[in-house]
Amino acid sequence: MSPAPTLEANVSLRPYNTFGLEVTARWFARFASVEELRALLALPQVQAAEKLVLGGGSNLLFTRNFEGVVLKNEIRGLEIVDQDEETALVRAGAGESWHGLVQYALGQELSGIENLSLIPGTVGAAPLQNIGAYGAELKDTFEQLEALELSTGRLRTFLGPECGFGYRESVFKGPLKNQFIVTNVLLRLHKQGRPNVRYGDIQTTLQDMGIEGDPTPLHISEAVSSIRRSKLPDPAQIGNAGSFFKNPEISQAKFDELKAQFEGLPGYPVPGGVKVPAAWLIEQCGWKGQRRGPHGVHDRQALVLVNHGGAQGQDIRDLAYEIIASVREKFGIELHPEVNIM
Ligand code: EPU
């Protein structure tokens, strides 16, 4: 029997959001198992309240206090549950840190998620936006997840195709938003390293590191970590939520038209058009490194909004809207936040 769940009132969320914003939750509780989660959901205050499940709080911008109940997912566990000659199936509790899972895989000499090293946040949050970086996405190794349905308390298994994964998208952000709480995730990892060095920066970093021949998953993890550290602010030092906006996709015709006007415009072909880096558009509008008192735009990655200390969520949101308006005016392109604005 697990102990009865405790609800705390008026809890500061500052330690639980990587922007480091000083907001409070009306109610706050942690759960470390499905049973504890069910017990919490049975409490009258929890049933009546708006619910927010927190993983690492690394993709959230709070613009005000949260008047409902914050449920902090602390379901742990990392294990190999099945394997064959080539692959191993790893199950991870949703409350594990994502990078902890990457390190576990490296320790087991399994490859597939090393390109996703150092992404902040938890395992349970990873499928919601199909986390991706340096040429890899969660969906590439994803096997299935288990999630608890809020309305029934029942566990349901979702296989890859049922998750509707796209670029920073899944059904859990779309039609099933706020209906399920992820409890664990299963990934199919490989025993023989298949290095994924498509992303140009990885190759140059490996060269700088003096790695010749086929890099191991550990080499790739080190290269990715070094690239991330050089561009992205560490939330422990400067509040941020990684990329604030998604990279927009535009039609080939629109791209050609802009390219004639802005020669340096980068673009990557995707089905149905061209993806352009939002960071480039934002930098061209003069935002990179700008500060508005305690908040601003990171000086090494224009896609990242930062809290240098003491910023208000509304101010960061207003800055985001100003950036969106200036990119729209200069390029006729609409940027969309990647971060969940609460
Ligand atoms: N660029 C600029 N100015 C900048 C930064 C970048 O012009 O300040 C241009 C350059 O042309 C550069 C291109 O943007 O070549 C791409 O930059 P980068 O490699 O840094 O990647 P990104 O497209 O800005 C995306 C993800 C990141 C991920 C990196 C690496 C999104 C929204 N962001 O950023 O993900 O780490 O690629 O794969 O897709 C996150 O989601 O929080 C995140 C950090």
Side-chain angles (χ1 to χ4, degrees):
M1 272 281 291
S2 28
T6 42
L7 269 187
E8 293 171 72
N10 303 322
V11 171
S12 167
L13 294 176
R14 178 144 183 209
Y16 306 114
N17 75 99
T18 59
F19 261 119
L21 296 166
E22 190 52 83
V23 286
T24 57
R26 177 73 190 91
W27 300 106
F28 183 92
R30 306 160 191 278
F31 59 95
S33 66
V34 170
E35 293 69 36
E36 285 181 19
L37 173 58
R38 286 198 178 117
L40 275 171
L41 294 173
L43 297 176
Q45 291 106 310
V46 177
Q47 284 191 344
E50 188 187 347
K51 292 173 254 313
L52 172 67
V53 182
L54 260 194
S58 58
N59 205 41
L60 271 179
L61 175 69
F62 286 107
T63 58
R64 55 186 158 78
N65 292 333
F66 185 70
E67 295 304 332
V69 47
V70 166
L71 301 169
K72 177 118 184 12
N73 194 336
E74 296 188 343
I75 298 179
R76 308 300 297 265
L78 294 169
E79 62 176 321
I80 294 175
V81 290
D82 191 22
Q83 52 188 314
D84 57 30
E85 273 187 17
E86 286 166 12
T87 68
L89 196 57
V90 173
R91 180 170 58 209
E96 291 285 346
S97 91
W98 172 263
H99 186 64
L101 169 59
V102 172
Q103 285 174 312
Y104 172 82
L106 291 171
Q108 302 290 325
E109 298 186 8
L110 295 171
S111 74
I113 51 176
E114 57 277 5
N115 294 53
L116 305 178
S117 292
L118 275 194
I119 295 184
T122 57
V123 166
L128 266 66
Q129 53 155 349
N130 180 29
I131 57 168
Y134 306 104
E137 284 185 323
L138 175 83
K139 73 171 170 55
D140 305 335
T141 53
F142 182 89
E143 183 90 3
Q144 66 173 62
L145 62 77
E146 259 191 316
L148 185 132
E149 189 173 26
L150 280 168
S151 60
T152 61
R154 272 198 228 123
L155 282 179
R156 181 173 151 190
T157 298
F158 288 83
L159 300 175
E162 297 171 286
C163 294
F165 289 132
Y167 169 56
R168 297 294 194 277
E169 280 299 340
S170 77
V171 286
F172 306 105
K173 266 181 97 176
L176 300 184
K177 190 170 176 180
N178 295 336
Q179 291 180 38
F180 286 88
I181 296 179
V182 177
T183 58
N184 67 60
V185 174
L186 271 85
L187 302 182
R188 172 80 61 187
L189 302 179
H190 297 275
K191 292 183 176 175
Q192 292 299 317
R194 297 184 191 170
N196 169 357
V197 293
R198 263 169 298 174
Y199 196 89
D201 276 3
I202 295 188
Q203 291 174 31
T204 30
T205 308
L206 287 169
Q207 276 164 17
D208 293 348
M209 286 162 56
I211 309 297
E212 282 160 26
D214 261 1
T216 65
L218 194 58
H219 290 144
I220 294 196
S221 174
E222 282 166 8
V224 166
S225 301
S226 139
I227 300 168
R228 288 189 75 98
R229 287 200 184 98
S230 71
K231 289 188 182 172
L232 298 168
D234 175 358
Q237 265 134 42
I238 304 177
N240 76 91
S243 302
F244 197 93
F245 305 97
K246 294 197 222 181
N247 286 329
E249 293 178 13
I250 58 177
S251 69
Q252 183 69 49
K254 169 87 183 165
F255 180 77
D256 294 342
E257 182 196 311
L258 284 172
K259 187 84 181 168
Q261 219 183 327
F262 305 97
E263 214 187 310
L265 177 70
Y268 314 94
V270 287
V274 182
K275 190 185 267 190
V276 297
W280 191 89
L281 304 171
I282 296 168
E283 185 172 343
Q284 295 298 308
C285 292
W287 289 107
K288 192 170 180 172
Q290 276 215 34
R291 259 183 97 144
R292 291 275 172 90
H295 63 286
V297 179
H298 189 50
D299 56 1
R300 276 172 284 152
Q301 215 322 348
L303 201 45
V304 179
L305 303 190
V306 290
N307 172 14
H308 294 282
Q312 303 286 318
Q314 307 94 294
D315 296 335
I316 298 175
R317 177 199 54 201
D318 292 349
L319 174 64
Y321 290 155
E322 262 190 77
I323 292 173
I324 290 173
S326 68
V327 167
R328 183 192 299 129
E329 193 178 329
K330 190 172 171 93
F331 299 102
I333 294 178
E334 195 66 26
L335 292 185
H336 297 282
E338 195 227 281
V339 166
N340 197 357
I341 301 175
M342 296 289 300

